[in-house]
Amino acid sequence: MAELPAALGAAIDALMEGRQRGDLHARAGRISHAYRAGATSTGVVREAGDALAYAVSRLPATYAAVRHVLDRLVERCPDFAPASGLDVGAGPGTASWAMAEAFPTLSALTQVDCNRAFLDLARTLAADAVSTALRQPVQRLADLVGKAPLPQSDLVVLGYALAELAQPSQGEVVERLWAATAGALVIVEPGTPAGYQRILAARDVLIGLQAKILAPCPHQAPCPLVAPDWCHFAVRLSRSRDHMAAKAATLGYEDEKFSYLVAVRPALFKEANAGRILDRPETSKIAVAAKLCGTDGTVAVALVPRRQKPAYAAARRLRWGDELRLGRNAAEADASPEPDASPDCLD
């Protein structure tokens, strides 16, 4: 269960003190409705109260997804120790917190957003953060499609922002981000078919720029999934009381679905030696079955039989989005093509 950093949760709670919950929750509902209708943050978040409503209702899920993706980057590149970070489409600094938590080496941070209310809130929320980079970021009030060069940074994150750009400009923005990337570029989008298509388009652009795809793909080949299937993952996060009220929710947790991409410079790249699990594994008394995107660029069903006890025990602990190392944690597992070569027949 993903949790917000204690300092971030406390900062949001402090800002909520003395506020009319009804007004804030109404703002959150309006923002959510507008986003679903395709509106951008500039037109929806117009003042400090709107920004805070967003932080209460939407920030936790965005943080959980970005932090999950950054943890995947740590898994694949355990020696990566970025000193500088660039949070593009920063909003209230959500990805900035995830970057600082995942990489304590971060000493300099630039936040770029076209919404002053968001940037002001980002600075307020980080006033008591442990990370100096979080407390003292360089903030740029700028449109993502602007022509001004972005600062070279070891780690660049674009979280839930491509959807706010017109389709023709998305590729140009990805090119600008890659030009600013000294080490790793992370892009996270909603885990919808449309979000996946934006990730796929960004992947094509980056491969064309000689970037190396580190995750989730364990290969550089075209995506093997066939519509209506799409590549996405999920993370579960706990909800605070205000979070539940803002979303009119009855459950104390939320499952955030997202699609993502991690691209790195060749110096950071390591060939994958494990496939990526693309759905919740199914465990029976006979075997663990996992839909697997393999290092060879194909999708297959990996079966880890119960008779292979160590491998079966290890496979039972694996989750959606994890790597499955056939020949290591599942030494004798069988991998077979999906029936009719169609991934969606597993869903």
Side-chain angles (χ1 to χ4, degrees):
M1 186 85 73
E3 301 276 356
L4 287 180
L8 177 55
I12 294 174
D13 289 343
L15 290 177
M16 287 292 292
E17 290 182 8
R19 294 199 175 251
Q20 294 293 327
R21 259 55 176 185
D23 171 68
L24 213 62
H25 299 160
R27 290 175 187 259
R30 175 178 58 80
I31 291 170
S32 178
H33 177 76
Y35 274 141
R36 286 197 297 269
T40 64
S41 61
T42 304
V44 175
V45 178
R46 298 185 291 265
E47 57 186 24
D50 295 334
L52 181 57
Y54 175 94
V56 170
S57 62
R58 184 60 197 155
L59 180 153
T62 302
Y63 172 85
V66 175
R67 178 60 197 274
H68 180 96
V69 174
L70 291 177
D71 286 344
R72 295 308 192 199
L73 171 56
V74 172
E75 288 174 0
R76 290 298 318 280
C77 291
D79 297 327
F80 182 47
S84 55
L86 175 60
D87 183 358
V88 184
T94 312
S96 297
W97 279 88
M99 295 161 74
E101 290 288 312
F103 297 101
T105 55
L106 205 67
S107 59
L109 178 65
T110 301
Q111 297 171 333
V112 179
D113 203 282
C114 59
N115 191 311
R116 172 53 64 189
F118 267 151
L119 290 177
D120 288 345
L121 180 58
R123 193 174 288 275
T124 298
L125 291 176
D128 295 323
V130 172
S131 168
T132 302
L134 265 179
R135 292 197 311 272
Q136 300 174 2
V138 174
Q139 292 188 332
R140 287 192 181 185
L141 186 65
D143 195 304
L144 299 187
V145 297
K147 299 300 182 182
L150 296 167
Q152 277 280 310
S153 304
D154 298 328
L155 174 62
V156 179
V157 177
L158 181 72
Y160 289 79
L162 277 180
E164 298 201 5
L165 304 175
Q167 195 279 329
S169 65
Q170 292 174 11
E172 296 176 5
V173 169
V174 172
E175 289 182 11
R176 290 183 68 219
L177 295 180
W178 183 243
T181 301
L185 169 62
V186 171
I187 303 176
V188 186
E189 283 289 298
T192 63
Y196 162 65
Q197 288 300 322
R198 289 189 290 272
I199 290 291
L200 272 187
R203 185 180 188 270
D204 288 343
V205 170
L206 288 165
I207 289 177
L209 295 171
Q210 308 304 310
K212 294 294 186 179
I213 306 303
L214 193 76
C217 320
H219 57 81
Q220 312 299 303
C223 179
L225 295 182
V226 177
D229 198 9
W230 74 100
C231 182
H232 64 292
F233 304 91
V235 61
R236 177 163 290 184
L237 59 136
S238 61
R239 287 171 167 156
S240 68
R241 182 178 59 183
D242 283 321
H243 187 185
M244 291 178 64
K247 304 196 80 167
T250 58
L251 296 176
Y253 64 88
E254 176 179 338
D255 290 324
E256 173 69 5
K257 293 183 178 180
F258 58 93
S259 295
Y260 76 95
L261 189 68
V262 180
V264 298
R265 293 290 176 181
L268 274 179
F269 182 68
K270 297 178 182 178
E271 292 282 355
N273 59 11
R276 180 81 61 186
I277 298 174
L278 297 184
D279 206 340
R280 291 184 177 87
E282 296 183 1
T283 301
S284 70
K285 294 181 179 180
I286 299 173
V288 174
K291 178 181 173 181
L292 198 68
C293 184
T295 57
D296 60 353
T298 64
V299 174
V301 179
L303 297 176
V304 185
R306 186 175 182 177
R307 67 177 181 274
Q308 297 158 5
K309 294 183 180 179
Y312 179 81
R316 288 189 62 178
R317 295 192 292 270
L318 294 175
R319 297 174 296 175
W320 183 4
D322 286 346
E323 293 182 339
L324 174 59
R325 290 176 175 80
L326 299 178
R328 292 191 178 184
N329 61 341
E332 301 298 329
D334 300 317
S336 56
E338 292 178 301
D340 300 327
S342 174
D344 58 3
C345 65
L346 290 178
D347 294 339

